[in-house]
Every structure is written in C-alpha cells, then in structure tokens.
Amino acid sequence: MTKIQNLLSVDRVVHEPARLMILKFLESVGEADFTYLQAQGGFTQGNLATHLTKLRDAGYVDIEKTYKGRVPLSICRLTPAGRNALKKYVRSVIDALGAPS
Amino acid sequence: MEDSNLSPGAKAARYWFVDGIPDIVSGVGLAVWGLCLIWFAEPPRRLIALIGQAVFLTAYLGQRWISEIFKSRTTYPRTGYVRPPAARRQESARLITIGDGSTLPDENVSSFPGPTFVVLIVASALIAAIGIRWAVPAIMLGSALFLYLTSKESERPYDLRWALVLPVFSVPFVFFGIPTQALENVPELTGGIWLALQGAWHLRNYLEATANYRHA
C-alpha cells in the first residue's frame, strides 16, 4: 500500500467535515454545550444532533445532560478515544499528503 | 468584535468576556478594596481594611465561580456554554520552552484579570513613592495606555476610548480633601469602578444583542 492509498483507510466517522469540525472544536475548548456548538459551527439543530449521535455512538464524544443553575444543558466532551481518533486521522492525512508548506 | 480568523480555543476564551460579567465581578472586588483603604485611612481602621481585602481576594480567586452563577442565568440560556478559560500559566511555560511567541496555541486560556491588577498595584506604589497629588492622573494615564497596548492581542482587549476614561476618573481625587497617604489607593478604587463600568456596558450591549434569544 502506497502512502497516498492510506487515505482509503482513514476513519470515516472523523473524516466527515462537520464531525471533524466538532471534534476540533471540542479538542480546543474542552467542553461546550449544544447551543454553543450550533452557533460556532453554523449547524442546524437537526444536523448537529445527527452528527453528535454518530460521534457518541463511535465513543468519540461524551454527552452529559446537566444543569448550570436552573438551565438545562447538553454538555459535549471529547473522550480519550475521540482525541486519539482525531490525532490518528490528522497524522494519516499529513503522512499521505505531506505537511503543508 | 467577532474575529473570524480566531481559532476555536481563542474564540472560546473571548466568549468568557462577551457579557462583561467577569469585568463586573473583578471591578466590584477591586473598588470595594480601594474604597475601604481610602475612606478609612485616617484614622487607620485595620478591620475595615481587612474586610476590603477579603472582598477583593474573594472576587479575584472566586471570579470564575461567581461569574458562572450570573452567566448561568444570562449567558448560557442565550448563546450557550463553553468551558471557562483556564489559567494561562501552562501556556506561557510552553511558549518559553519552544521559544515561539508569534503563534499562540489554540487553547481556551486566559490570564485576565491578573495583569490588570498588577498594573494598578504598580501605579499605586508609584503614587506612594512620588507623593504628589498631580502625579495621580499622569500615572493613571500611563497605566491606561500600558493596559491598552499590552492587551491588544489578548482574549480580553481594552478599548482605547475606555482606556482613556481611566485617568479622567482619577482627576476628582486631585481636588478632594482625601489624606495624601490615601492617594496611593486611588488606582484600586478608580480601576475597580472603571472595570465594573466596562462590564456593565458590555452586559448591556450583550443583552440588547441577544434580546430575542430562544431557550435551549
């Protein structure tokens, strides 16, 4: 298998642009709720919910329903598996395409 | 104010200050401390000074916790929650290690309000050392410009117009009959009021901009 062919084996859950963006957001900020992610990513409610469900099912994101004061929040966090998957994905892409000049 | 070129981490750090609540909390703590020190300087009342100091320390150390209580009622239901920025210490250590200050890591970190407090306390020490009434506005002008210039690229930049208001606040103290030894506490009082007013201004703008929010 050549380096470029490695792109065929990248994690498809991470590879989808919206999910990649969600993972990158969560990696940078630590944790965020549904409303914040929706505003920052320009998602519709349904779109974000679908992607978060896929990420949660893959074990990459942990979603906690909690309260801050009296306000109910769905707080999303990157799991260690999600962090590793993101790192592995970035490494695979850089390996195959080369680091940006 | 929104900069689309900011990284997600830097955006999250700026988001913490978007509603002005951290400014109000820090400002009130600082102003109460300054007020206690000035009003009770002559004759000296240690207990009042200690109470002022306790209020300041509570506001400084508990800034995140106190701000979150208010944010949970105003900000989180409107524009969402993101983890409050962590202290910048770790990042500075890394910047020193890799020797590259030009590109800040994409992390949700902040050093506010530490540097602001340090500048105001240094101003206080300078006023005490010089001991001339008219030095107060000049030192406050220097402090304001320093704060403006050093915070430009930070997650909590000071606006130039607001920075120039700081020395104006200190002018009345030149004419007030407060004891000369109490003048050194003018930076804490005026700096605190200045911060709290900025916070109130940002809060007003934020509430206006998000008036039609929908519940999460």
Side-chain angles (χ1 to χ4, degrees):
Chain A
M1 200 180 229
T2 62
K3 270 188 175 181
I4 196 84
Q5 283 174 328
N6 284 338
L7 282 177
L8 295 171
S9 60
V10 293
D11 188 338
R12 299 291 168 127
V13 176
V14 183
H15 185 60
E16 205 286 325
R19 289 197 287 273
L20 183 58
M21 184 159 69
I22 294 169
L23 290 175
K24 181 62 197 155
F25 257 112
L26 292 177
E27 189 201 30
S28 301
V29 304
E31 61 183 29
D33 83 328
F34 193 90
T35 314
Y36 184 83
L37 283 175
Q38 198 188 333
Q40 293 300 314
F43 298 108
T44 63
Q45 218 165 2
N47 197 2
L48 180 59
T50 309
H51 288 305
L52 281 176
T53 306
K54 281 190 180 159
L55 289 169
R56 189 190 54 193
D57 292 346
Y60 295 166
V61 165
D62 174 41
I63 302 170
E64 186 195 352
K65 305 256 182 209
T66 183
Y67 281 85
K68 288 270 176 194
R70 277 172 291 176
V71 182
L73 298 175
S74 299
I75 295 179
C76 310
R77 290 184 200 92
L78 203 58
T79 61
R83 199 172 291 277
N84 285 338
L86 181 63
K87 265 187 199 164
K88 200 175 156 194
Y89 172 82
V90 171
R91 211 178 304 126
S92 313
V93 173
I94 289 174
D95 276 353
L97 304 178
S101 54
Chain B
M1 281 297 279
E2 185 73 11
D3 188 344
S4 55
N5 292 325
L6 285 176
S7 64
K11 261 189 182 180
R14 278 203 176 188
Y15 179 69
W16 178 249
F17 303 101
V18 76
D19 52 16
I21 290 172
D23 293 23
I24 296 174
V25 173
S26 309
V28 168
L30 197 58
V32 168
W33 184 33
L35 193 71
C36 289
L37 291 173
I38 289 176
W39 255 248
F40 301 100
E42 196 58 49
R45 289 184 210 169
R46 284 214 177 140
L47 182 66
I48 302 285
L50 275 175
I51 291 170
Q53 214 150 18
V55 171
F56 167 68
L57 282 174
T58 308
Y60 179 61
L61 299 173
Q63 190 228 57
R64 178 174 159 162
W65 181 74
I66 299 167
S67 298
E68 280 218 286
I69 294 173
F70 293 108
K71 278 172 180 279
S72 66
R73 285 166 175 75
T74 56
T75 319
Y76 300 157
R78 285 174 165 80
T79 48
Y81 160 86
V82 67
R83 177 181 281 169
R88 171 152 278 152
R89 212 170 297 132
Q90 214 180 351
E91 185 189 90
S92 324
R94 193 188 324 167
L95 283 177
I96 291 163
T97 317
I98 61 172
D100 180 16
S102 59
T103 49
L104 287 172
D106 176 17
E107 281 180 307
N108 185 9
V109 290
S110 170
S111 55
F112 182 84
T116 303
F117 289 170
V118 169
V119 168
L120 293 172
I121 288 166
V122 168
S124 187
L126 277 174
I127 291 168
I130 296 170
I132 304 167
R133 268 177 198 275
W134 277 103
V136 179
I139 289 170
M140 293 310 282
L141 177 63
S143 307
L145 291 176
F146 183 80
L147 281 174
Y148 165 69
L149 292 171
T150 53
S151 70
K152 259 182 171 178
E153 302 299 321
S154 76
E155 64 290 342
R156 200 291 180 218
Y158 286 111
D159 184 82
L160 180 61
R161 284 163 299 177
W162 270 109
L164 294 176
V165 166
L166 181 57
V168 175
F169 277 7
S170 64
V171 171
F173 291 94
V174 176
F175 303 106
F176 278 175
I178 61 168
T180 318
Q181 65 268 31
L183 273 180
E184 67 188 67
N185 301 116
V186 167
E188 284 88 355
L189 176 61
T190 54
I193 296 170
W194 175 71
L195 257 181
L197 281 178
Q198 280 183 77
W201 173 256
H202 287 140
L203 181 61
R204 178 190 162 276
N205 290 342
Y206 173 79
L207 292 177
E208 232 175 54
T210 58
N212 299 318
Y213 80 95
R214 59 188 166 68
H215 287 278

